[in-house]
Amino acid sequence: MPSAPAPRRKQVTLKDVAEAAEVSKATASLVLSNNPRISESTRQRVLSAVEALGYVYNQHAASLRTQRSYTIGLIITDVLNPFTAELTSGAESALAAHDYSLVLATTDDDLEKQSRIIRTMMERDVDGLILGPVAGTATASLRDIMKRCSLVLTNPYYDEVEADCVGMDDENGTARAVQHLVQQGHRRIAFVGGYPTSSTRQRRLHSYRDSLLGKGITFDPALCIDSPVTRRGGYDGVHQLLSLAAPPTAAYCYSDVIAFGVMLGLRAAGREAGVDFAVIGFDNVPEASLWHPSLTTVSADPRGLGENAAQLIMRRIAAPNRPVSRIIQPSRLIVRDSSAKPVSLPGG
């Protein structure tokens, strides 16, 4: 005679968890959805009951009940850039700590592609978007996003849009970099890299110009080279500068990646950063301290930017009517070998 089938194990429910933790079913649900209003002692009691009973939280069912997908879209311009990679890592870590999933997409600085990505993410019902807007993004488009989901911008200079935002202190960071080069004795200081339509580049370029003029140094547009934000962009840019009748003796670069390219270009031309040409970057990506020579750069803490953006989007989802937050992270100059005072300068 065949043996009788083993009795089916009773499925553990949220009610069982609540009873074991001696809380209401509603409180247990709030704990499992990471609601910040729950005390830590209650949270630990519920989580202990979950572990003891082997309860499996059904995220899909929770999404149907709460009308949330627990996914956040992060839209960046270039995933290969170490700066955006660090920002993405920071955002992902902060979101994962609260059981949110991150959906990543890149625009390649293409406005039409950005529109398609946003439309696709909306169709997938993301709870919020963290967006680094492509140059030329209309404020009307941003307002339309905010009607449908929470939004955080990684460009804090859309004054017409009442959106949460995080960003870097471009102006003061640039001023510190230029001041350092002037103190080192430079008067022919180039600005290298960045797309000409980039609002970030425009802010840094304006600060570069104003910093030179403030030191009594003539602003020369011929020393300002735009380029893709790549090593190749910096490499080609410095060769263009070195071909000038009066070449520069120093370069302030739009990003660390471009600064790496500038240093490679200098070496190919028989020069060396930190020996007979000074180079400063912007971002302070991990590679900057390991490069040879080590790169002087403006520290912008990209990972911290990502973490702050994630915190803002979660707060906005939890409290849609809260006041708008604008976080500008302070910048500081990290002096390393690439900006050492040259052995000699023209006219020195």
Side-chain angles (χ1 to χ4, degrees):
M1 243 182 112
S3 59
R8 188 175 180 180
R9 184 181 177 184
K10 178 179 177 292
Q11 183 177 2
V12 178
T13 67
L14 184 61
K15 181 180 178 183
D16 297 328
V17 171
E19 290 176 351
E22 298 181 345
V23 298
S24 69
K25 185 178 175 181
T27 297
S29 178
L30 289 173
V31 169
L32 295 176
S33 62
N34 287 305
N35 191 291
R37 293 179 295 169
I38 303 301
S39 69
E40 187 58 29
S41 60
T42 299
R43 184 183 306 278
Q44 291 304 320
R45 203 159 71 245
V46 171
L47 294 178
S48 295
V50 167
E51 185 174 357
L53 296 174
Y55 176 69
V56 178
Y57 185 50
N58 189 325
Q59 182 70 69
H60 177 67
S63 297
L64 292 176
R65 290 193 303 271
T66 63
Q67 298 300 301
R68 288 190 190 175
S69 65
Y70 290 88
T71 58
I72 302 296
L74 173 60
I75 304 176
I76 58 177
T77 56
D78 178 12
V79 73
L80 297 178
N81 188 323
F83 175 86
T84 52
E86 285 289 300
L87 186 151
T88 299
S89 179
E92 194 279 333
S93 295
L95 290 168
H98 295 272
D99 292 331
Y100 277 92
S101 297
L102 183 70
V103 179
L104 178 66
T106 58
T107 62
D108 299 316
D109 226 28
D110 184 308
L111 195 57
E112 184 177 342
K113 185 177 181 182
Q114 175 181 272
S115 298
R116 292 198 306 270
I117 290 170
I118 291 172
R119 185 166 59 250
T120 299
M121 287 195 174
M122 291 292 191
E123 290 170 355
R124 294 182 179 179
D125 293 324
V126 295
D127 291 333
L129 286 178
I130 300 172
L131 173 65
V134 170
T137 300
T139 55
S141 299
L142 300 177
R143 291 194 187 99
D144 184 58
I145 295 171
M146 294 171 66
K147 293 176 183 176
R148 303 173 61 185
C149 73
S150 299
L151 175 67
V152 169
L153 301 176
T154 58
N155 182 331
Y157 295 95
Y158 280 82
D159 295 332
E160 306 89 347
V161 181
E162 290 293 313
D164 296 320
C165 57
V166 296
M168 302 164 286
D169 188 349
D170 294 304
E171 290 86 352
N172 287 324
T174 297
R176 292 186 181 99
V178 173
Q179 181 180 11
H180 175 67
L181 292 172
V182 172
Q183 288 173 343
Q184 295 290 73
H186 297 279
R187 294 299 178 268
R188 296 283 290 170
I189 301 170
F191 182 103
V192 184
Y195 295 100
T197 56
S198 164
S199 60
T200 300
R201 181 183 188 272
Q202 290 167 8
R203 287 192 300 275
R204 294 179 190 173
L205 182 59
H206 290 162
S207 180
Y208 154 86
R209 180 198 61 196
D210 292 345
S211 297
L212 289 177
L213 295 175
K215 295 295 183 180
I217 300 173
T218 302
F219 170 70
D220 184 354
L223 297 181
C224 301
I225 306 295
D226 61 75
S227 77
V229 186
T230 62
R231 285 174 173 80
R232 187 76 212 190
Y235 185 95
D236 291 342
V238 76
H239 279 286
Q240 184 177 339
L241 290 165
L242 293 176
S243 68
L244 295 174
T249 62
Y252 167 57
C253 302
Y254 173 84
S255 72
D256 288 350
V257 169
I258 288 173
F260 298 150
V262 165
M263 290 195 284
L264 291 172
L266 287 168
R267 192 165 296 160
R271 303 194 184 192
E272 191 69 19
V275 176
D276 50 11
F277 196 104
V279 179
I280 295 182
F282 197 113
D283 289 340
N284 195 32
V285 300
E287 192 178 354
S289 63
L290 303 176
W291 199 264
H292 181 72
S294 57
L295 178 64
T296 295
T297 184
V298 177
S299 177
D301 187 16
R303 185 177 181 85
L305 279 172
E307 292 170 350
N308 280 327
Q311 294 295 338
L312 284 182
I313 200 73
M314 289 188 288
R315 291 175 197 163
R316 178 59 56 189
I317 291 168
N321 296 320
R322 69 188 298 273
V324 169
S325 295
R326 184 173 184 268
I327 299 175
I328 305 297
Q329 294 189 177
S331 57
R332 60 193 180 97
L333 185 67
I334 309 295
V335 178
R336 299 192 180 106
D337 297 336
S338 68
S339 64
K341 192 169 186 177
V343 175
S344 64
L345 289 169

